[in-house]
């Protein structure tokens, strides 16, 4: 419960700027590139910090890394709130852009708790309940960007920009305090903290019901995974699926405002309802489908859907068609996210932990890289660039289909078929 709460609180930082991007764009006079960098700022730290902090858990337990990341997020939100109180609107000029970007990057540290909370949840529950508890953890935690995409524009209308972020700051502080009160390290870490050696701590923890334990040097696992080419194929696939999920969550509100004339509140609500929430929820049936027909086949099909939907957004200016394409994007990306992670233990069985960290961390980096690229289309083509920029996702989908198909053709060489036959 505490890990899910902490993940929900920290992961909301994904949409720190996206739902109200037009407010910052007009106040600071941002170019498309600068806007894309700003809305992607939280994903910079939220993706890259997953790897070292996920590994750190196996050394000290999950509670300390969790609190460090949430505290850094509080620091960023405090800085942003102070900037808005003292400078918004007249004083919030381009000269303050580096500080606004830095505050966004710090606030995004809370996003990185995903890898920490995953480990915390796994160590607390028996093996036969892992699928259920991790689905609940990821599903509920992943819902916070969608809910905040809905709520932030409403708060903007009712309270104004500055007060809205002050309320968010208070929510982040209270959520962090609640996690600190509720969170308890799994038994083996508690026993090690008392000075008991690792082996005895493990034996005692087993008596308390703990079934999963740290597997050794986590950083060594990352190094081993990085040396395997298949890992980087999976990183590329997750870059499109989960990185794409993050990028679209923060970019779609601006698209709906610029191309279809929606207000900030309507654009945020439509993004949440048509894309962010469905994409998060569909990870669960996506995992089931991957187990039934294979992750490679599921990935190929889902990336085809992503490519077709993105092409629809490039060519259409009709509201209904764009809405349907957005929903199809949610379906494709949500299912692809589940399919890619289903493939990790199959293709990198010798370093699953390290591969999971690299795939989850570097793949999520797409949430920082893609928005500025979309912004360049706005700088080049004007307002129509908000639509034509989706050609980026057409290209990413084509590459991902080719990679998924290649994995499928080479699966026998890594023993996937043999492993499946032995199950």
């Amino acid at each position: 419960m505490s890990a899910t709460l902490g993940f929900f609180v920290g992961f909301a930082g994904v949409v720190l700027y996206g739902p109200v991007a037009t407010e910052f764009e007009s106040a600071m006079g941002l170019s498309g590139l600068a806007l894309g960098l700003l809305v992607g700022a939280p994903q910079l730290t939220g993706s890259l910090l997953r790897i070292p902090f996920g590994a750190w858990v196996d050394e000290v337990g999950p509670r300390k890394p969790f609190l460090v990341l949430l505290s850094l997020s509080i620091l960023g939100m405090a800085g942003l709130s102070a900037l808005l109180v003292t400078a918004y609107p007249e004083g919030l000029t381009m000269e303050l852009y580096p500080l606004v970007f830095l505050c966004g990057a710090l606030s995004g540290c809370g996003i990185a708790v995903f890898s920490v909370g995953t480990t915390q949840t796994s160590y607390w529950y028996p093996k036969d309940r892992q699928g259920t508890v991790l689905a609940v953890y990821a599903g509920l935690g992943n819902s916070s960007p969608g809910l905040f995409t809905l709520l932030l524009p409403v708060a903007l209308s009712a309270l104004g920009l500055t007060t809205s972020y002050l309320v968010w700051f208070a929510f982040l502080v209270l959520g962090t305090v609640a996690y600190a009160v509720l969170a308890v390290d799994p038994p083996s870490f508690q026993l090690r903290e008392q000075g008991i050696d690792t082996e005895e701590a493990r034996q005692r923890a087993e008596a308390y019901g703990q079934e999963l334990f740290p597997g050794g040097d986590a950083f060594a696992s990352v190094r081993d995974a990085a040396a395997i080419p298949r890992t980087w194929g999976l990183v590329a696939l997750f870059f499109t699926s989960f990185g794409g999920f993050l990028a679209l969550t923060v970019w779609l509100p601006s698209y709906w405002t610029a191309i279809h004339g929606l207000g900030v509140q309507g654009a945020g609500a439509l993004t949440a309802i048509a894309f962010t929430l469905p994409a998060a929820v569909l990870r669960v049936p996506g995992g089931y489908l991957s187990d039934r027909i294979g992750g490679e086949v599921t990935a190929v099909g889902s990336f085809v859907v992503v490519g077709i939907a993105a092409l629809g957004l490039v060519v259409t200016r009709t509201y209904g068609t764009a809405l349907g394409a957005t929903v199809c994007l949610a379906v494709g990306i949500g299912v692809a996210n589940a399919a890619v992670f289903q493939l990790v233990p199959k293709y990198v069985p010798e370093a699953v932990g390290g591969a999971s960290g690299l795939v989850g961390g570097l793949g999520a980096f797409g949430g920082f890289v893609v928005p500025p690229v979309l912004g360049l289309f706005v700088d080049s083509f004007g307002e129509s660039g908000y639509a034509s920029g989706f050609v980026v996702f057409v290209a990413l989908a084509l590459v991902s289909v080719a990679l998924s198909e290649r994995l499928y053709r080479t699966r026998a060489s890594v023993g996937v078929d043999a492993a499946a036959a032995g199950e």
Side-chain angles (χ1 to χ4, degrees), residues 101-196:
F101 183 92
L102 176 61
C103 290
L106 280 173
S107 298
C109 290
I111 301 169
V113 300
F114 172 76
S115 60
V116 179
T118 299
T119 308
Q120 177 179 336
T121 302
S122 295
Y123 286 160
W124 264 114
Y125 288 90
K127 295 177 182 178
D128 60 3
R129 294 183 61 191
Q130 291 290 308
T132 300
V133 296
L134 287 174
V136 170
Y137 165 77
L140 293 180
N142 270 322
S143 68
S144 63
L147 293 176
F148 272 67
T149 302
L150 278 170
L151 294 175
L152 188 55
V154 174
L156 175 67
S157 176
L159 305 173
L161 188 68
T162 301
T163 304
S164 297
Y165 279 95
L166 287 171
V167 171
W168 192 341
F169 173 65
F171 164 80
L172 182 56
V173 171
L174 290 174
T176 301
V177 170
Y179 175 83
V181 171
L182 295 172
V184 179
D185 280 332
S188 63
F189 294 100
Q190 294 183 52
L191 293 166
R192 282 165 52 185
E193 184 69 21
Q194 296 171 14
I196 299 173

Side-chain angles (χ1 to χ4, degrees), residues 5-394:
L5 170 65
F7 181 35
F8 181 90
V9 171
F11 202 56
V14 166
V15 293
L16 183 70
Y17 294 128
V20 292
T22 54
E23 292 291 315
F24 288 93
E25 182 180 23
S26 59
M28 304 177 75
L30 301 179
S31 66
L33 176 61
L35 179 64
L37 285 169
L38 186 63
V39 299
Q43 280 74 261
L44 175 63
T45 50
S47 58
L48 297 183
L49 290 181
R50 290 183 177 200
I51 301 171
F53 274 82
W56 192 26
V57 172
D58 283 354
E59 299 295 326
V60 300
R63 189 174 183 274
K64 185 175 180 179
F66 224 121
L67 289 174
V68 169
L69 288 169
L70 289 178
S71 297
L72 289 171
S73 188
I74 288 174
L75 181 62
M77 186 65 77
L80 177 60
S81 300
L83 282 173
L84 292 175
V85 167
T86 58
Y88 183 79
E90 290 83 5
L92 193 64
T93 62
M94 194 61 187
E95 285 73 20
L96 291 177
Y97 182 85
L99 284 177
V100 176
F101 183 92
L102 176 61
C103 290
L106 280 173
S107 298
C109 290
I111 301 169
V113 300
F114 172 76
S115 60
V116 179
T118 299
T119 308
Q120 177 179 336
T121 302
S122 295
Y123 286 160
W124 264 114
Y125 288 90
K127 295 177 182 178
D128 60 3
R129 294 183 61 191
Q130 291 290 308
T132 300
V133 296
L134 287 174
V136 170
Y137 165 77
L140 293 180
N142 270 322
S143 68
S144 63
L147 293 176
F148 272 67
T149 302
L150 278 170
L151 294 175
L152 188 55
V154 174
L156 175 67
S157 176
L159 305 173
L161 188 68
T162 301
T163 304
S164 297
Y165 279 95
L166 287 171
V167 171
W168 192 341
F169 173 65
F171 164 80
L172 182 56
V173 171
L174 290 174
T176 301
V177 170
Y179 175 83
V181 171
L182 295 172
V184 179
D185 280 332
S188 63
F189 294 100
Q190 294 183 52
L191 293 166
R192 282 165 52 185
E193 184 69 21
Q194 296 171 14
I196 299 173
D197 68 75
T198 301
E199 186 56 37
E200 183 179 351
R202 175 171 181 150
Q203 293 174 0
R204 292 192 186 185
E206 287 176 342
Y208 288 118
Q210 184 176 341
E211 295 183 5
L212 295 175
F213 299 88
D217 187 342
F219 287 103
S221 180
V222 171
R223 291 193 298 269
D224 292 343
I228 301 170
R230 297 184 300 273
T231 301
W232 297 102
L234 295 170
V235 167
L237 294 179
F238 209 57
F239 183 97
T240 299
S241 62
F242 191 69
F245 166 76
L246 296 175
L248 288 167
T249 293
V250 300
W251 191 255
L252 278 170
S254 297
Y255 162 79
W256 288 110
T257 298
I259 300 298
H260 298 284
L262 273 67
V264 173
Q265 186 172 334
L270 190 61
T271 298
I273 294 170
F275 179 77
T276 307
L277 290 173
V281 171
L282 283 167
R283 290 187 72 163
V284 177
Y288 175 79
L289 183 64
S290 298
D291 287 338
R292 296 285 294 178
I293 68 173
E296 304 93 344
V297 174
T298 304
V300 168
S302 58
F303 285 124
V304 167
V305 171
V306 169
I308 293 173
L311 183 60
L313 288 171
V314 171
V315 302
T316 189
R317 298 297 182 270
T318 305
Y319 175 84
T321 306
L323 179 59
T326 301
V327 173
C328 288
L329 263 181
V331 173
I333 279 182
V335 173
N337 278 328
V340 175
F341 250 90
Q342 193 258 6
L343 294 174
V344 171
K346 288 185 176 182
Y347 285 90
V348 198
E350 57 270 65
V352 175
S356 296
L358 288 173
V359 172
L362 297 183
F365 192 53
F368 173 72
V369 173
V370 174
V373 177
L374 298 175
L376 287 174
F377 279 83
V378 177
D379 290 339
S380 299
F381 301 104
E383 196 170 82
S384 66
Y386 282 99
S388 59
F390 285 105
V391 73
V392 172
F393 282 93
V394 177

